[in-house]
Amino acid sequence: MAKIADVLGRLTPEELEEIHAAGPHGHLTRRIVEALDRAAGGPGSGRGYYVPAGSVSGTGSPHLILRSDVAAWLFGAPATAAAANPA
């Protein structure tokens, strides 16, 4: 698996904005999953940068979120910890 910075550096500004808008534990859209796959090398290559959230959509597809270390890299460790432990 390529380095997190390398893969995220291949995303467009619009794709990064969409990830930021969702937040560190937000569900990733199909568009963002495809963008992560593309940035990591091709179809399915982004697996590992995103993981199942433990819930499913109305169509039965698993919701996907950023892996915790990817979210920490993108949002910073304090932001990730705050999202995981809301006051």
Side-chain angles (χ1 to χ4, degrees):
M1 182 167 32
K3 292 183 180 178
I4 294 170
D6 293 341
V7 170
L8 295 181
R10 293 184 194 106
L11 297 176
T12 67
E14 294 80 16
E15 292 162 346
L16 287 169
E17 177 56 36
E18 187 173 335
I19 293 171
H20 276 283
H25 297 288
H27 297 158
L28 303 175
T29 64
R30 179 180 306 242
R31 176 178 114 83
I32 295 303
V33 169
E34 290 172 355
L36 287 165
D37 285 345
R38 181 198 74 239
S45 296
R47 290 186 186 130
Y49 290 93
Y50 51 83
V51 295
S55 60
V56 295
S57 70
T59 62
S61 299
H63 288 132
L64 300 172
I65 59 173
L66 294 174
R67 194 178 68 212
S68 61
D69 60 330
V70 175
W73 187 93
L74 190 57
F75 290 93
T80 304
N85 301 308

